[in-house]
Amino acid sequence: MKHVSLLLYSCLIQYFCSQGQLDLLRNSSGLLYRLKDAQSASKVKGSDNQEKLVYQIIEDAGNKGIWSRDIRYKSNLPLTEINKILKNLESKKLIKAVKSVAASKKKVYMLYNLQPDRSVTGGVLNQQCFKFLQSKAEAARDSKQSPMVQRNSSFANSHEVWKYICELGISKVDLSMEDIETILNTLIFDGKVEMTIIAAKEGTVGSVDGQMKLYRGVNPIIQPTGLVKTPCGLCPVFDDCHEGGEIAPSNCVYMAEWLDL
């Protein structure tokens, strides 16, 4: 199609974009165009270009979703306009807002028919794991036994927590013991749970190589200092964090939540 002029190409591209039949993408070499499937194009038919752009950004984020801050960065639209578009798309049931485990105070947006990724919905699991350990600690305190017995009975192993979560049936995916221990480690970093390791007989449920990890919910006796309240004060990968690296302050979700950006 060498005989087709550049002007005609531009007119065709503009026409198909206005009809919602092309996606506009960008990479290191410049702009790219991708043909939309008919079903996706029909969903945003009648929407203006700004709404189509926001919908496309959310669609590209997949089932991990995207924050409104990142939508603003990718679309270059004012935050007030983005909030208006998001509410409109939600009312049409084209997208939905989901609370993310990475930032419990914030929501990510994804297409309405998608099942959220496990990394997004872990927030509910965090809460339930902590609730289970808290209830176990409260039961130990109410037992009126000696302080040492109360302390020992307030601990639970990861298998007990895993069994409790499975019986609740709140997870849409099958969770392993490793998944539960990852959640418990997150609670440890948040200062809500403490862990101890004890010797255990071989074959004991929840034990590995003759050792067993036990967890219990804790309440701080005094408020932590200002430095510890910052994400950096408790960050387990603090030494690996630097600008330009895979872990950096500029893309830290905990820092963004702390600063309420």
Side-chain angles (χ1 to χ4, degrees):
M1 300 177 66
K2 292 182 179 179
H3 60 282
V4 179
S5 68
L6 187 60
L7 178 61
L8 180 57
Y9 269 127
S10 300
C11 291
L12 289 171
I13 289 172
Q14 187 174 0
Y15 170 77
F16 286 120
C17 284
S18 65
Q19 296 297 309
Q21 297 178 6
L22 286 180
D23 280 335
L24 180 61
L25 308 172
R26 183 189 296 273
N27 66 5
S28 57
S29 60
L31 294 176
L32 299 174
Y33 299 93
R34 180 179 64 190
L35 184 66
K36 272 189 177 182
D37 62 275
Q39 184 180 7
S40 178
S42 63
K43 287 181 180 179
V44 291
K45 190 175 182 180
S47 301
D48 59 31
N49 290 334
Q50 291 182 338
E51 193 166 290
K52 289 176 182 178
L53 175 61
V54 172
Y55 180 86
Q56 179 187 322
I57 291 171
I58 295 172
E59 184 180 30
D60 291 340
N63 64 346
K64 291 189 176 181
I66 185 170
W67 292 1
S68 57
R69 183 191 62 180
D70 293 330
I71 296 174
R72 181 177 61 178
Y73 173 77
K74 291 189 175 184
S75 65
N76 289 323
L77 294 174
L79 185 59
T80 52
E81 185 65 24
I82 289 174
N83 289 335
K84 179 181 173 184
I85 292 171
L86 291 174
K87 286 181 181 179
N88 192 29
L89 291 173
E90 282 188 272
S91 67
K92 294 178 181 178
K93 292 191 175 181
L94 294 176
I95 65 168
K96 62 183 175 183
V98 180
K99 285 187 176 180
S100 171
V101 63
S104 58
K105 295 180 182 179
K106 296 185 182 295
K107 298 178 290 186
V108 294
Y109 293 89
M110 63 185 67
L111 296 190
Y112 187 82
N113 62 338
L114 292 181
Q115 179 69 34
D117 186 81
R118 186 188 302 180
S119 62
V120 175
T121 55
V124 178
L125 299 178
N126 279 27
Q127 294 169 11
Q128 291 302 326
C129 287
F130 182 55
K131 182 180 177 181
F132 172 73
L133 294 175
Q134 270 190 319
S135 63
K136 195 169 179 65
E138 289 171 3
R141 284 194 297 270
D142 295 340
S143 65
K144 307 300 181 183
Q145 300 182 49
S146 66
M148 186 59 70
V149 173
Q150 286 185 29
R151 183 180 186 280
N152 291 340
S153 59
S154 66
F155 282 96
N157 61 40
S158 54
H159 181 267
E160 292 177 89
V161 182
W162 172 81
K163 184 179 178 182
Y164 171 77
I165 295 297
C166 289
E167 288 174 351
L168 285 179
I170 58 175
S171 176
K172 301 295 183 182
V173 296
D174 294 330
L175 295 171
S176 65
M177 295 275 286
E178 290 75 15
D179 294 326
I180 295 299
E181 289 187 357
T182 298
I183 294 171
L184 292 171
N185 285 336
T186 302
L187 292 171
I188 291 172
F189 298 142
D190 289 341
K192 296 179 179 179
V193 168
E194 69 176 15
M195 181 192 73
T196 187
I197 299 176
I198 63 170
K201 293 181 180 179
E202 289 292 339
T204 304
V205 177
S207 66
V208 178
D209 297 330
Q211 294 183 328
M212 181 184 292
K213 295 178 181 178
L214 298 179
Y215 305 85
R216 75 177 185 126
V218 293
N219 294 314
I221 299 175
I222 59 174
Q223 288 298 318
T225 62
L227 177 61
V228 175
K229 285 183 178 179
T230 68
C232 304
L234 289 171
C235 183
V237 292
F238 177 82
D239 293 335
D240 300 320
C241 183
H242 58 87
E243 281 303 328
E246 191 170 330
I247 303 169
S250 58
N251 58 25
C252 175
V253 293
Y254 298 106
M255 183 66 75
E257 179 185 6
W258 183 66
L259 294 173
D260 196 24
L261 294 176

